[in-house]
Amino acid sequence: MTPTWIRGRRLRTSFPATDTGTAEPGHRIPVAVHTPDPISRAGVLSQLRPHPTVEVLDDPGARAGAVAVLIADVLDETTFSRLRRLVRNDGARAVLVVGQIREAELLAVIECGVGAIVWRHEATAHRLLQAVLAASRGDGDLPADLLGRLINQVGSLQRSTAGQPGTPRSGLAPREIDVLRLVAEGMDTGEIASKLSYSERTVKNVMHGLTTRLHLRNRAHAVAYALREGYI
């Protein structure tokens, strides 16, 4: 996997690192596909259905714990409304496959609760499966160029609000900062546990406690928060 350097950070091509292996034995990931046209839907179904750990749902309606794959050329208010409904109302874990994202839209997408983003021109069967697996685990999976843009955008927001009276800042424990810093560097749960000499359960508990306390939707949102607040 080729590393990317952005502002002195060594980033992997996905965030955090994901694998394309199978899910837990006997577990199939329910996936609902939302597309603007039948041709796109047929293409996504043909790529995901052959994998034994994926259960493609015939009805794209709400199902708790499902991964929702949403296809869009560009982001408009209809797409944002659908993303918010899928994540906040239906409890889905969203994978966004999109043609382009404008600078002003990126943070809004993360704050909608989208943890995995795939460029349409890169949406091979392998890449879609990687994003679905990451979303099902609650991990993030962003293209390296988007991660760089997110870091730059949040850094600008941080500088613009620095020193302003009344700017909210919630405290993070040192080990929460340590975990988030490694998540931002592209490490998965096992790698973080090894690096910090924690168990994987401890790492998961740290992330769960952090995201629950601060009402953050996933790892990508947590890293965006930590960058914005100047913790990492």
Side-chain angles (χ1 to χ4, degrees):
M1 186 172 294
T2 304
T4 301
W5 290 85
I6 300 174
R7 286 192 173 184
R9 298 173 181 266
R10 184 179 184 273
L11 304 176
R12 301 187 182 186
T13 54
S14 61
F15 158 63
T18 58
D19 59 66
T20 53
T22 59
E24 296 177 4
H27 174 69
R28 299 181 70 200
I29 302 167
V31 176
V33 178
H34 303 262
T35 64
D37 59 82
I39 293 178
S40 295
R41 179 175 176 81
V44 174
L45 294 181
S46 69
Q47 289 179 314
L48 291 179
R49 274 191 169 138
H51 201 279
T53 61
V54 172
E55 176 194 359
V56 178
L57 304 178
D58 293 326
D59 179 4
R63 176 168 168 182
V67 173
V69 177
L70 178 63
I71 313 296
D73 286 319
V74 295
L75 296 174
D76 53 21
E77 188 51 44
T78 300
T79 305
F80 274 110
S81 295
R82 179 170 290 185
L83 283 172
R84 286 189 286 266
R85 177 181 59 79
L86 288 170
V87 175
R88 300 177 187 179
N89 298 343
D90 298 351
R93 295 179 172 181
V95 173
L96 175 64
V97 182
V98 67
Q100 62 180 3
I101 297 178
R102 293 191 294 265
E103 201 71 32
E105 297 168 335
L106 179 55
L107 190 58
V109 169
I110 298 300
E111 292 182 338
C112 274
V114 177
I117 300 175
V118 179
W119 292 124
R120 286 199 70 160
H121 67 274
E122 295 178 351
T124 62
H126 174 87
R127 186 69 188 87
L128 278 177
L129 177 61
Q130 181 186 48
V132 166
L133 289 172
S136 72
R137 295 191 298 262
D139 291 344
D141 189 357
L142 305 185
D145 58 327
L146 279 188
L147 180 54
R149 284 165 56 185
L150 179 63
I151 289 172
N152 291 337
Q153 184 177 353
V154 174
S156 298
L157 286 172
Q158 177 191 333
R159 290 189 296 273
S160 68
T161 59
Q164 292 184 7
T167 301
R169 183 179 177 93
S170 300
L172 293 181
R175 72 174 182 173
E176 290 175 332
I177 297 172
D178 289 341
V179 170
L180 282 175
R181 185 176 292 113
L182 296 179
V183 170
E185 291 178 1
M187 293 189 183
D188 61 20
T189 299
E191 291 171 322
I192 294 170
S194 177
K195 181 76 171 180
L196 298 178
S197 299
Y198 293 162
S199 68
E200 291 193 22
R201 180 177 295 275
T202 296
V203 174
K204 291 177 182 178
N205 287 342
V206 168
M207 287 302 304
H208 177 73
L210 169 66
T211 55
T212 300
R213 187 176 79 253
L214 299 179
H215 307 290
L216 304 170
R217 301 194 177 279
N218 48 44
R219 291 188 178 198
H221 195 188
V223 169
Y225 168 85
L227 286 164
R228 175 185 289 185
E229 294 297 311
Y231 287 108
I232 60 176

